[in-house]
Amino acid sequence: MADTSLVLRTLGSGGPQALKLATVITRLVVKVADREIDGLDKYQVVSFGRTVNGARFPDRWWPRLSRAIETGAIERLSVQAIVDVMIDHDRP
């Protein structure tokens, strides 16, 4: 599992940086839901004898978000620019 601590601390701190980060995450999830980009990480859990299928935010995106915070890109770039960079890194 990816290290999410910086991203979660930033979201928890509130303010404009947290709001922008939350907007980036939301746009990425919407793009997945609209099938504009490849999906979330799939998982299966067996609970009380039943198999439950689910999906979660991809591990590959957490370090990219952390890097955007560390480098100040989250403050300098637009939400769309950050989303575009993250998506471009998913393309072969």
Side-chain angles (χ1 to χ4, degrees), residues 4-90:
T4 60
S5 58
L6 179 59
V7 174
L8 295 177
R9 273 195 321 271
T10 303
L11 288 170
S13 69
Q17 190 176 23
L19 181 59
K20 193 172 193 179
L21 182 58
T23 304
V24 168
I25 292 168
T26 302
R27 292 248 180 110
L28 288 166
V29 172
V30 167
K31 285 188 172 292
V32 169
D34 289 345
R35 295 185 179 3
E36 290 180 39
I37 59 175
D38 198 13
L40 304 173
D41 287 346
K42 309 250 185 304
Y43 68 89
Q44 251 184 5
V45 176
V46 177
S47 177
F48 299 103
R50 296 183 64 197
T51 301
V52 177
N53 295 314
R56 63 183 168 83
F57 201 75
D59 281 343
R60 68 187 180 275
W61 286 351
W62 293 109
R64 294 177 197 169
L65 289 173
S66 293
R67 182 94 173 120
I69 296 164
E70 291 167 347
T71 62
I74 206 83
E75 295 153 348
R76 288 189 321 274
L77 300 176
S78 69
V79 168
Q80 190 59 51
I82 295 167
V83 169
D84 290 344
V85 168
M86 290 186 64
I87 291 170
D88 283 346
H89 281 85
D90 276 351

